[in-house]
Amino acid sequence: MNFIRKFIKSNVANMLPHCHILITGTPPPPPPLSPLLQKEERNIPWTERERELQLVRDYKPHKDVQHLRIMLYGPPGAGKSSFINSVHSVLRGKIATRALAAATFGVSFTNAYRTYKIQKGNPEMFYPFVFTDTMGLESDDEGAIHVEDIKLAMNGHVKEGYTFKPTALLRESDPNYNSSPTLDDKVHIVVFVIPADRVSIISDKTWRKMKDVRLHARDKGIPQIAIMTKIDEACPEVKKDIKNAYRSKRLNQLMQTASMNLGIPLNCIFLVKNYHTEIEANNDVDSLILSVLKKIIDYGEDYLNDL
C-alpha cells in the first residue's frame, strides 16, 4: 500500500508541469531563487568562541610599542563608536557603552579625537590595543572633518581630546598639534566602517574622501580593512539568523560594491553586527566580532614587524 502511495505521489508531481502547460498554454514559472548561497563565503568558527577569545586575550604587542593603535573612520552613524562598545562587550562578557554612540545617524556624534582602552582583569590592566574614534565623514562640506586632519592623526600629530574644526585645519602652531609623535602615537591600522544598509546611498564625495584616506595609508604602508555594520538591517535572512552573514547574496553584492568604490580587496572586507538593542551577549554575534578583531590585530602586528 505504501508503495502505491509513493508511486502515485511521484507521478502526480512529475505530471504537474505538463498539466500547467495543457491548462494555461505556458510553462510553469521557475521556482524562486534562494537569497542565500549554498555555503559560506568565509569560514567563521561559530562554535569556537572561547578559543578565539583566548587568542585575543593572549595577544602581546610588538616590543617597540605599548599598544596597537586602531583608527576607525567612516560616515556618521556607520557604527564606529558602537563597534568599540561591541568589542568591549565581547571581551568583558557583558554589554558595555564605553564609547558614546548616537542612537540615530545624520550629523556626526563624535567630534573629538578620542582613544579608548579596554580593561583586562583588574582596573589597572588593559588590553594591548587601543581604538581611536574620529568624527564621521559628512556628505557635504559644512560640518565635515578635513581629510588632512585625519592624515595628521594617522601620523600621530593630533593630541588626545582635540576637537575637530570643520572651518579650520589643525596647524603646527596649535597647542593640540603633536610635533614629536612616538610610534605609540601613530596609527598602525585603519578600519573603514561602512553601514551595509546605506551602501547604495553613500555619496560619491564620501567615497572619494574615504579613498583619499586609504591611499594616504597605503603610501605610509599602513594596512587597511573595512567592516560592514548593520548587516541585519540590510538583509532579512541575516536578521533571522546571524549565521547567514556570509551566505547572504545581498551582503555579498554590497561587499563587492564597497570594494569597487573604496578600492579595497574583497578579502579585506568583513561583516559584523554591533550590539545595539541587546542587553545580553550573544555567542554568534561575538563570533563575527572576534573574527574581525583577530584580523585587525594580525594586520596591525604585521605592519609593526615590517617596521
Side-chain angles (χ1 to χ4, degrees):
M1 197 68 176
N2 287 335
F3 171 77
I4 296 173
R5 285 199 188 99
K6 289 180 181 178
F7 178 80
I8 293 172
K9 186 177 180 181
S10 174
N11 280 275
V12 167
N14 290 332
M15 290 172 61
L16 282 176
H18 302 289
C19 292
H20 188 281
I21 294 174
L22 288 172
I23 294 170
T24 66
T26 59
L33 295 174
S34 171
L36 298 175
L37 300 167
Q38 289 190 345
K39 63 178 183 178
E40 286 183 300
E41 288 283 289
R42 305 265 175 90
N43 292 321
I44 302 298
W46 300 106
T47 60
E48 300 178 17
R49 175 187 175 277
E50 288 305 316
R51 183 181 70 86
E52 300 290 285
L53 189 55
Q54 194 59 48
L55 290 173
V56 174
R57 286 173 175 159
D58 292 342
Y59 166 66
K60 291 181 174 57
H62 191 275
K63 62 182 180 181
D64 293 330
V65 297
Q66 293 181 350
H67 51 243
L68 181 74
R69 184 175 291 276
I70 305 158
M71 174 183 276
L72 303 179
Y73 186 61
K80 297 182 292 297
S81 299
S82 293
F83 180 67
I84 298 172
N85 291 333
S86 296
V87 170
H88 191 192
S89 298
V90 173
L91 298 182
R92 296 296 305 280
K94 61 182 181 179
I95 303 300
T97 54
R98 279 291 308 281
L100 293 176
T104 58
F105 62 83
V107 296
S108 183
F109 186 72
T110 300
N111 62 1
Y113 189 71
R114 299 287 183 201
T115 298
Y116 294 92
K117 298 179 181 180
I118 297 177
Q119 189 178 317
K120 181 181 182 182
N122 66 59
E124 302 302 320
M125 290 182 63
F126 297 92
Y127 279 91
F129 49 83
V130 297
F131 290 95
T132 295
D133 198 5
T134 58
M135 186 178 182
L137 279 169
E138 313 294 346
S139 58
D140 55 13
D141 290 327
E142 186 178 349
I145 186 173
H146 288 282
V147 170
E148 295 304 317
D149 277 348
I150 293 297
K151 293 177 182 178
L152 288 176
M154 272 196 281
N155 297 332
H157 291 299
V158 179
K159 289 185 179 179
E160 177 74 11
Y162 170 68
T163 300
F164 294 105
K165 299 178 179 64
T167 56
L169 287 168
L170 177 63
R171 303 293 181 185
E172 291 187 35
S173 57
D174 193 296
N176 288 293
Y177 185 91
N178 181 7
S179 58
S180 303
T182 65
L183 187 56
D184 273 307
D185 296 325
K186 297 178 180 180
V187 170
H188 308 133
I189 180 167
V190 177
V191 178
F192 297 93
V193 184
I194 303 168
D197 62 334
R198 290 191 284 137
V199 168
S200 60
I201 61 172
I202 294 177
S203 70
D204 290 341
K205 179 177 282 188
T206 299
W207 284 119
R208 284 196 299 272
K209 287 181 179 180
M210 285 196 286
K211 196 168 183 178
D212 190 5
V213 171
R214 190 189 75 77
L215 292 175
H216 179 77
R218 181 204 64 186
D219 292 343
K220 292 289 183 179
I222 303 171
Q224 318 108 50
I225 72 166
I227 60 174
M228 297 190 74
T229 60
K230 305 187 180 182
I231 56 176
D232 54 326
E233 300 301 320
C235 177
E237 298 301 321
V238 174
K239 200 175 189 70
K240 292 178 194 173
D241 186 353
I242 195 71
K243 288 183 178 179
N244 287 330
Y246 285 106
R247 289 187 62 206
S248 167
K249 291 180 180 178
R250 171 65 176 158
L251 292 182
N252 187 271
Q253 180 185 44
L254 293 175
M255 289 171 69
Q256 291 185 46
T257 300
S259 174
M260 180 180 65
N261 288 333
L262 194 53
I264 198 166
L266 271 173
N267 62 1
C268 291
I269 301 177
F270 301 86
L271 303 174
V272 299
K273 179 196 176 319
N274 287 331
Y275 282 113
H276 179 56
T277 59
E278 298 83 358
I279 58 173
E280 298 290 340
N282 176 283
N283 281 354
D284 294 335
V285 173
D286 285 1
S287 293
L288 275 182
I289 293 170
L290 284 170
S291 70
V292 175
L293 183 57
K294 278 179 55 192
K295 287 299 180 185
I296 290 173
I297 291 172
D298 287 346
Y299 293 172
E301 188 66 13
D302 286 345
Y303 167 71
L304 288 173
N305 286 332
D306 289 342
L307 290 179

